[in-house]
Amino acid sequence: MRKAKYIDEVIPEAVDHSLFDMTQEEVAQVLNIKREGISSLEKRAMKKFKAILKEKGLTFEDLVVKK
């Protein structure tokens, strides 16, 4: 079985590419919340992300394209 190259191959609904090139401040402005709220959201999202990886038996390295 081929390992996934990108997170959206494993969890398609998890990726919103429109926010990838924005700072926390810019994302906060779009969502109309404080920057500190974005930091908190990132931390919670990473915790959930790690739990999903563990549940699926994957590691972060499984998702990284190795050259």
Side-chain angles (χ1 to χ4, degrees):
M1 184 172 146
R2 177 181 82 77
K3 291 184 179 180
K5 290 185 179 181
Y6 303 101
I7 186 61
D8 51 351
E9 290 181 47
V10 179
I11 314 165
E13 67 278 5
V15 180
D16 177 2
H17 294 281
S18 66
L19 300 178
F20 278 12
D21 293 326
M22 297 174 75
T23 65
Q24 285 185 344
E25 186 64 39
E26 291 167 331
V27 173
Q29 288 175 358
V30 169
L31 298 177
N32 198 29
I33 62 175
K34 293 182 179 181
R35 192 216 43 87
E36 292 82 6
I38 297 302
S39 180
S40 176
L41 285 171
E42 283 183 350
K43 288 175 186 172
R44 288 188 310 202
M46 286 305 296
K47 188 175 182 177
K48 288 180 182 181
F49 174 69
K50 290 175 184 178
I52 291 169
L53 287 179
K54 186 175 182 178
E55 176 184 304
K56 294 184 177 285
L58 298 169
T59 65
F60 182 75
E61 288 76 23
D62 292 331
L63 304 175
V64 177
V65 179
K66 296 181 181 177
K67 295 183 179 185

